[in-house]
């Protein structure tokens, strides 16, 4: 804001020193660089105020329109002459980061301070961006550094992560609105969640999706206008999407309602999707990278099965690029060392029996240490498993069961096991 005030003062003093001391006209515009001693002084009522509208929202992340009270920032560059466009600079442009605020659903935008066309009729090039940042200055370059919000669960933080830009060239003095077309510069992920084998829609209502280890920053050159592609940065974070699960009409297994915005990048083995259902964690790591490009939205349809996660992806229009399919496995972690411990007094040659089972949760996956120095037994895959062990010598033995089963039996007594590995 200090720079903005300084530019106002500079140009206010410049008008006082104009030819013959004529001060009959005032060009009310931030960072005014188009008024010079060579320009005729014009009465205010003879000038035309710049008005803007939005003709196309082809890449806006929020459906197809801006929302009331959204603010965009606008820079204006004056042409050198009738045939020679000007250049956007880091400072000293005809208009500097002027805020335009949408007043209503009729596409009426109000400038924080009015911008007027050049009195000599020269053309303008307009550069606009969203969301507006009052503290942004281009300094010696025309580059803007932008970061998405990692935690987008709050809808306002999601919209603050939606970086879009527009440029229109050769704007002539008119009393009509100048319409801008915005391009989306980041990447959007949209999620559907499907209940597969062993799950119901009710099981998925509280499922949490995370885009793990995603890049969240970009650098964008505003001078490139609609053709510009942001340069993806290096700052990474786990991105939480915004939304609420809703069930598709006519479907007993499919939910929709979540979306997130990230910097353009690849989803791969290290930048991946995670779904958490209760204390169970599923992940989709892409051995074949899925490229998220600038201006693209991709739909990820995630099927959660009892033992794995299946994912298919489709690009939404914006730009359709085909479909990608993949599978993922549950993150089980390392087996816990002492999930269950029991001591047995046995006679030499005595056989001991244990039965293990699981009903609705994942298949068995655990080890048994019989406590007599014999090799660990690893049980995996069946829904029910019976096992006996013979002790060569009499004594007291500590038996440890580490891993996952829903329950177990000893001598006909059923008990609950400790749960999944790592707990």
């Amino acid at each position: 804001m200090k720079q903005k005030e300084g530019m106002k003062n500079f140009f206010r003093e410049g008008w006082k020193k104009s030819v013959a001391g004529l001060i009959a006209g005032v060009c009310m515009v931030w960072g005014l660089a188009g008024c010079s001693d060579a320009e005729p002084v014009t009465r205010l009522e003879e000038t035309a105020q710049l008005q803007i509208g939005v003709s196309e929202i082809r890449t806006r992340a929020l459906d197809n329109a801006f929302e009331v009270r959204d603010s965009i920032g606008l820079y204006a560059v004056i042409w050198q002459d009738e045939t020679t466009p000007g250049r956007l600079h880091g400072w000293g442009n005809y208009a500097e980061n002027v805020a335009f605020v949408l007043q209503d659903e009729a596409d009426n935008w109000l400038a924080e301070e009015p911008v007027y066309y050049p009195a000599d009729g020269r053309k303008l090039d307009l550069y606009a961006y969203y969301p507006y940042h009052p503290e942004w200055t281009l300094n010696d370059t025309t580059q803007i550094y932008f970061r998405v919000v990692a935690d987008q669960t709050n809808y306002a933080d999601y919209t603050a992560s939606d970086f879009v830009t527009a440029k229109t060239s050769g704007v002539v003095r008119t009393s009509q609105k100048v319409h801008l077309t915005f391009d989306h510069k980041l990447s959007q992920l949209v999620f559907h969640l499907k209940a597969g084998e062993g799950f119901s829609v009710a099981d998925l209502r509280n499922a949490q999706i995370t885009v793990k280890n995603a890049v969240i920053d970009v650098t964008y050159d505003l001078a490139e206008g609609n053709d510009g592609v942001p340069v993806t940065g290096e700052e990474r974070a786990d991105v939480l999407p915004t939304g609420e699960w809703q069930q598709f009409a006519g479907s007993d297994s499919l939910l929709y309602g979540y979306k997130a915005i990230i910097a353009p990048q690849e989803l791969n083995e290290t930048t991946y999707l995670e779904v958490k259902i209760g204390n169970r964690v599923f992940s989709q790591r892409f051995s074949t990278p899925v490229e998220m490009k600038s201006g693209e939205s991709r739909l990820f349809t995630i099927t959660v099965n009892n033992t794995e996660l299946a994912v298919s992806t489709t690009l939404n229009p914006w730009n359709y690029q085909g479909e990608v399919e993949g599978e993922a496995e549950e993150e089980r972690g390392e087996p816990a060392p002492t999930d269950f411990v029991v001591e047995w007094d046995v006679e030499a040659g005595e056989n001991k029996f244990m039965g293990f089972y699981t009903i609705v949760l994942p298949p068995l996956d655990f080890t048994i240490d019989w406590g007599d120095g014999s090799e660990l037994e690893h049980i995996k895959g069946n829904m029910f498993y019976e096992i006996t062990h013979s002790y060569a010598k009499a004594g007291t033995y500590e038996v440890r069961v580490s891993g996952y089963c829903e329950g177990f039996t000893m001598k006909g007594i059923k008990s609950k096991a400790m749960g999944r590995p790592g707990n």
Side-chain angles (χ1 to χ4, degrees):
M1 295 300 289
K2 290 182 179 178
Q3 180 182 5
K4 192 177 296 181
E5 290 298 326
M7 295 299 288
K8 290 181 184 177
N9 293 335
F10 173 80
F11 290 110
R12 188 156 46 237
E13 293 300 318
W15 271 104
K16 293 179 180 178
K17 299 176 182 179
S18 60
V19 176
L22 296 177
I23 319 176
V26 179
C27 291
M28 299 175 63
V29 59
W30 290 359
L32 183 61
C35 294
S36 68
D37 291 345
E39 295 181 357
V41 178
T42 308
R43 292 196 308 274
L44 182 61
E45 59 268 21
E46 293 178 353
T47 65
Q49 182 176 333
L50 174 65
Q51 301 180 72
I52 67 166
V54 177
S55 59
E56 194 172 359
I57 319 294
R58 61 183 177 220
T59 57
R60 183 83 161 92
L62 302 178
D63 300 322
N64 62 351
F66 283 104
E67 296 182 329
V68 174
R69 306 312 300 169
D70 274 352
S71 297
I72 67 172
L74 183 134
Y75 290 82
V77 176
I78 194 168
W79 280 37
Q80 298 179 35
D81 53 44
E82 182 62 28
T83 60
T84 309
R87 285 181 50 199
L88 181 68
H89 293 282
W91 59 274
N93 300 294
Y94 187 80
E96 299 279 1
N97 202 25
V98 180
F100 280 78
V101 182
L102 182 59
Q103 302 299 303
D104 51 43
E105 296 180 356
D107 197 31
N108 292 312
W109 295 80
L110 180 64
E112 188 176 68
E113 293 194 18
V115 179
Y116 291 89
Y117 286 98
D120 62 0
R122 278 189 286 172
K123 300 175 183 177
L124 294 175
D125 287 347
L126 304 181
Y127 300 79
Y129 72 90
Y130 170 93
Y132 174 68
H133 284 257
E135 71 279 9
W136 270 354
T137 57
L138 299 181
N139 298 321
D140 294 332
T141 73
T142 55
Q143 293 184 338
I144 291 176
Y145 177 78
F146 183 80
R147 295 172 68 254
V148 305
V149 181
D151 186 352
Q152 299 175 18
T153 52
N154 185 319
Y155 190 69
D157 291 325
Y158 169 81
T159 60
S161 301
D162 179 22
F163 183 59
V164 297
T165 65
K167 178 187 177 183
T168 185
S169 300
V171 176
V172 297
R173 176 173 168 168
T174 176
S175 60
Q176 304 300 313
K177 292 179 181 178
V178 176
H179 287 277
L180 302 173
T181 297
F182 283 83
D183 282 336
H184 186 37
K185 295 304 176 183
L186 303 186
S187 301
Q188 184 192 54
L189 297 87
V190 178
F191 301 103
H192 291 176
L193 193 58
K194 185 175 183 179
E197 180 182 355
F199 283 100
S200 66
V201 167
D203 296 327
L204 307 184
R205 286 289 187 181
N206 295 319
Q208 181 182 48
I209 293 181
T210 305
V211 186
K212 301 290 287 185
N213 195 38
V215 180
I216 61 171
D217 66 321
V218 298
T219 301
Y220 181 76
D221 191 341
L222 194 62
E224 295 183 7
N226 291 16
D227 297 328
V229 175
V231 176
T232 300
E234 298 181 351
E235 184 177 353
R236 293 182 177 270
D238 293 344
V239 175
L240 299 176
T242 190
E244 181 178 349
W245 289 124
Q246 302 179 59
Q247 189 168 348
F248 275 103
S251 173
D252 59 358
S253 62
L254 193 60
L255 300 175
Y256 70 96
Y258 276 87
K259 55 189 174 182
I261 295 174
I262 60 175
Q265 62 196 280
E266 286 186 348
L267 301 185
N268 48 40
E269 293 282 359
T270 57
T271 301
Y272 60 96
L273 305 180
E274 179 184 274
V275 179
K276 188 173 183 180
I277 304 172
N279 64 350
R280 299 179 63 187
V281 178
F282 298 83
S283 64
Q284 169 62 52
R285 300 173 188 266
F286 298 89
S287 56
T288 301
V290 176
E291 187 174 3
M292 301 295 300
K293 296 181 180 180
S294 172
E296 289 184 350
S297 173
R298 188 179 290 272
L299 170 63
F300 290 83
T301 301
I302 306 170
T303 302
V304 185
N305 294 307
N306 217 1
T307 58
E308 65 182 17
L309 178 69
V311 176
S312 66
T313 75
T314 304
L315 277 181
N316 290 331
W318 305 340
N319 301 309
Y320 182 75
Q321 296 293 327
E323 186 171 339
V324 179
E325 295 183 356
E327 295 183 355
E329 296 182 354
E330 183 175 3
E331 297 282 347
R332 291 183 177 273
E334 295 297 323
T338 57
D339 284 354
F340 173 76
V341 180
V342 64
E343 284 190 352
W344 280 337
D345 292 324
V346 299
E347 301 294 333
E350 184 178 354
N351 290 324
K352 283 293 186 178
F353 166 82
M354 296 187 76
F356 300 89
Y357 64 87
T358 183
I359 299 175
V360 297
L361 294 176
L364 303 171
D365 187 359
F366 61 91
T367 59
I368 305 175
D369 182 353
W370 296 102
D372 59 354
S374 60
E375 184 177 350
L376 295 178
E377 293 203 38
H378 185 194
I379 309 301
K380 183 176 182 179
N382 293 331
M383 304 298 284
F384 183 80
Y385 199 97
E386 295 181 350
I387 187 169
T388 60
H389 183 75
S390 179
Y391 286 89
K393 297 180 180 181
T396 300
Y397 296 91
E398 184 179 84
V399 179
R400 294 175 178 267
V401 179
S402 301
Y404 178 82
C405 68
E406 187 177 353
F408 61 92
T409 64
M410 292 185 301
K411 296 182 179 179
I413 301 174
K414 289 187 176 182
S415 301
K416 279 288 186 180
M418 295 297 290
R420 68 186 296 277
N423 291 340

